[in-house]
Amino acid sequence: MHDTTPELWTTQQAAEHLGILPKSASGLLSRRGVERVDTIRHPVSGRDIARFNADEVRAVAADRRPGRRTDRD
């Protein structure tokens, strides 16, 4: 049977894929309408870690041109 569970990436993983800092990734994903799927607890600090659908992050990366103004699209 085919697994339909989406691949989820943390903000850190998304940032690495996008080639930017995690805080910048959070802002970029938010501006592009990518909503977090869920949150998990960091195993050491206990802080919440957002997770995003990896396919949606990949789509943002494919459409992203650094320095492009998205407020004029």
Side-chain angles (χ1 to χ4, degrees):
M1 191 170 203
H2 182 65
D3 183 11
T4 59
T5 305
E7 180 181 7
L8 300 178
W9 283 355
T10 64
T11 305
Q12 180 68 39
Q13 291 169 304
E16 289 171 8
H17 184 76
L18 294 164
I20 58 179
L21 296 173
K23 279 289 190 184
S24 298
S26 295
L28 175 63
L29 295 174
S30 176
R31 285 190 303 278
R32 296 292 181 92
V34 177
E35 296 182 4
R36 67 178 168 207
V37 174
D38 66 6
T39 56
I40 58 174
R41 293 272 183 197
H42 187 278
V44 176
S45 69
R47 294 176 61 184
D48 284 340
I49 300 173
R51 295 196 304 174
F52 300 90
N53 183 308
D55 289 336
E56 292 183 30
V57 176
R58 287 185 193 104
V60 167
D63 183 54
R64 184 170 177 266
R65 292 192 313 263
R68 181 179 127 199
R69 293 202 46 180
T70 59
D71 62 336
R72 293 185 178 178
D73 287 344

